[in-house]
Amino acid sequence: MKVSTGTGIVSYLVHLTVAVPEAFILGNGEYHVEQGSTINLVCVIEKSPKPPEYIFWYHNDRMINYGSSREVKVHNEPGSKTQSRLTIRDAQISDSGNYTCKTAHAEPASTLVYVSQDI
Ligand SMILES: *[C@@H]1O[C@H](CO)[C@@H](O)[C@H](O)[C@H]1NC(C)=O
C-alpha cells in the first residue's frame, strides 16, 4: 500500500508474515499394524523457509534415527515440503507406542502406533 505524505516522500506499509514451520505425521493420529508387517510413518514439514536442520524420530522417549540394531530406516526428501519417512520392518509388539517427529523450530508431531498380535 502506498501512502502519500504530502511532502513528496512516499512511504510504503509492508506486511511481514513470519512463517512458522509446521510438522505433522500423515494419518489420523493412530496407526494400526499387525505383528511382522512394516510400520511406515511419514512426517511432513511445511512452511519451513529453509530445509530443517534436523528431523529426529522418537519412540516414546528414545531417539531412533541412528544406532538401532533393528531394521529402522529414516529417509528424508527435501523440498518445499520436507518429508521424513520412518520405516520399521518386522514390527513387534514392543514397537507399539508413541512416535514423535521433532524438527527445528516446529512443534513436535506425534502418532500412536498399535502393533497387534499375529494369531
Ligand atoms: C507423545 O509424545 C509427545 C512427546 O513426548 C507428547 O508431547 C505427546 O503428548 C505424546 N502423545 C500421547 C498421546 O501420549
Side-chain angles (χ1 to χ4, degrees):
M1 177 180 171
K2 238 182 201 183
V3 180
S4 177
T5 60
T7 58
I9 297 170
V10 174
S11 317
Y12 292 89
L13 296 181
V14 179
H15 290 276
L16 285 180
T17 40
V18 179
V20 178
E22 286 173 12
F24 56 91
I25 296 175
L26 296 184
N28 61 1
E30 287 187 7
Y31 189 92
H32 295 263
V33 76
E34 272 185 21
Q35 189 174 18
S37 51
T38 300
I39 298 172
N40 231 315
L41 297 177
V42 177
C43 180
V44 178
I45 294 122
E46 280 188 336
K47 300 181 190 166
S48 186
K50 50 186 164 68
E53 292 107 51
Y54 62 85
I55 301 167
F56 292 149
W57 285 92
Y58 290 81
H59 176 210
N60 299 324
D61 289 325
R62 199 167 56 89
M63 207 250 261
I64 53 173
N65 283 54
Y66 313 106
S68 174
S69 55
R70 295 279 315 285
E71 192 62 43
V72 177
K73 267 192 207 136
V74 175
H75 178 67
N76 294 338
E77 292 165 24
S80 63
K81 288 182 187 177
T82 299
Q83 293 200 354
S84 179
R85 180 182 298 272
L86 174 73
T87 309
I88 301 173
R89 284 186 213 291
D90 191 20
Q92 298 303 317
I93 304 292
S94 56
D95 292 322
S96 300
N98 183 351
Y99 283 78
T100 302
C101 159
K102 282 191 190 172
T103 181
H105 315 304
E107 289 289 314
S110 302
T111 204
L112 290 174
V113 170
Y114 298 90
V115 181
S116 58
Q117 196 142 20
D118 186 17
I119 41 170

